[in-house]
Amino acid sequence: DLSSSLQGATSGDTIQLFTSVTESANHSYHLKDGVDFNFNGNELFYETTTTSGLEIFTDNGAQVSCSFYNGRVRFNQPNTGTNKLIYLTGTGTEINNLGFEWEVMDGTSNPIHLQATSGVVNGGKFIAGPSVTGYFIRQYFTFLKNVEIITYNASALFTYFAPIKNSQIYGYLLNATNTTLIFQNVNGLDMENCYVYLEGPTSGTRNKITNGGRNFNNNTFMAKEATGIVCASSLGNDIFVDDGDYALTVSAEVVGGNIDITGGQGLITGNEATSGVRVTGLNIRVKDYLGPAAQVGTNTSLMGCNFFEDYGQADTDMIQVKTGCTGVEVANCTFDFFNVAG
């Protein structure tokens, strides 16, 4: 079986699966450096009635580099289960997935646990089924790249000083409200060249894509019946929101990019009395929203931006300065009202 093969393997070996297998013996697979897996298009279905304590695929706290090829692991546990399908804590661990899927059917509390300092997970599709609740992936200090994450109820990520690059994240949270798809815990969420889609229900408190972030560069964010992103720095991002509260809340800078929002506010800037917020070269289109396209805080500069508002009301404000805020600059911007009000 897979467990016995792994115990006898040494660096350079590839463990192969030639038929689909069901595992119900609560095995733990301690990954080994240089030992790869090729499932040859087959599936390992791991099923347990145990509610907690399992670490199924783990580096056991040691640095490991290995790859998974051509197949998938599907994991079923009790609805309240807190077992870990993947548990990585070894400094520098690197896991590569090529044509490989990891699916969690039930459970809560981070069934994918990535807390490997300077670690990397490269590639692979990660799926959280409708019965998974809470957070799907705990991402602490581990670099995610070239991954695809799909979730139907749970938050996709709980992150801490963890970059994400060249990845796709889909949240179909139609039965969840007031949920954050990508949750930044304290600090350090960086995203580059990613595509993120969030869809929520038509009623209740809106879900949102992020609650915070550090540097977001050249990403595409799309929200339907949901709200956009919060970050410090937004560089070249495209943000599309269909019926959400806002598209972008920012506390440091915006350089380039596009915002297109229906039924909500385009841009909100923080009150930065010392450093200010610099917004340059941003295009904002706001549709079917009577409030301002941008609400700005202390020491915000809007330079070379283009604003388009098509609500069709003559008394719509394009830019609103928050109450009590000062030091706002607007220069070399264009304003296009559906009904001109000035």
Side-chain angles (χ1 to χ4, degrees), residues 30-254:
H30 290 179
L31 303 175
K32 292 184 176 181
D33 191 44
V35 176
D36 298 332
F37 298 81
N38 189 342
F39 278 33
N40 295 294
N42 295 299
E43 172 188 276
L44 171 66
F45 177 51
Y46 193 109
E47 186 172 31
T48 183
T49 58
T50 299
T51 57
S52 64
L54 296 179
E55 298 169 4
I56 298 169
F57 286 88
T58 175
D59 62 8
N60 209 29
Q63 183 176 3
V64 169
S65 177
C66 67
S67 299
F68 289 81
Y69 299 94
N70 307 320
R72 73 169 178 167
V73 174
R74 194 158 51 101
F75 176 48
N76 187 28
Q77 64 174 329
N79 287 339
T80 59
T82 59
N83 297 297
K84 311 304 181 188
L85 175 59
I86 302 175
Y87 191 82
L88 306 179
T89 58
T91 298
T93 284
E94 181 172 351
I95 305 298
N96 300 293
N97 297 287
L98 292 90
F100 206 87
E101 297 182 5
W102 302 85
E103 180 178 354
V104 178
M105 300 172 65
D106 299 277
T108 186
S109 297
N110 315 300
I112 307 293
H113 185 108
L114 311 177
Q115 196 163 340
T117 301
S118 301
V120 177
V121 173
N122 179 22
K125 179 184 286 188
F126 298 82
I127 303 168
S131 296
V132 178
T133 59
Y135 298 100
F136 178 35
I137 299 174
R138 178 185 176 96
Q139 184 202 9
Y140 271 36
F141 310 109
T142 303
F143 182 18
L144 284 177
K145 62 180 181 179
N146 305 311
V147 302
E148 181 179 356
I149 301 170
I150 302 172
T151 178
Y152 293 93
N153 191 30
S155 295
L157 290 160
F158 185 83
T159 75
Y160 182 72
F161 286 100
I164 308 168
K165 187 173 182 179
N166 299 333
S167 297
Q168 302 174 52
I169 302 171
Y170 300 89
Y172 303 100
L173 308 186
L174 301 180
N175 295 311
T177 59
N178 198 27
T179 297
T180 302
L181 182 64
I182 304 169
F183 188 93
Q184 175 186 254
N185 182 29
V186 184
N187 200 1
L189 172 60
D190 295 330
M191 298 185 68
E192 183 177 355
N193 296 326
C194 294
Y195 175 86
V196 181
Y197 177 83
L198 172 61
E199 184 173 352
T202 57
S203 62
T205 304
R206 297 286 189 214
N207 300 320
K208 55 189 173 183
I209 295 176
T210 70
N211 68 316
R214 188 167 55 181
N215 300 309
F216 290 179
N217 303 333
N218 298 313
N219 304 288
T220 298
F221 299 98
M222 300 190 71
K224 182 178 181 181
E225 303 288 352
T227 289
I229 67 172
V230 179
C231 65
S233 176
S234 173
L235 307 179
N237 296 297
D238 292 326
I239 306 167
F240 303 91
V241 177
D242 183 5
D243 201 5
D245 296 335
Y246 59 82
L248 171 63
T249 294
V250 68
S251 59
E253 63 176 342
V254 182

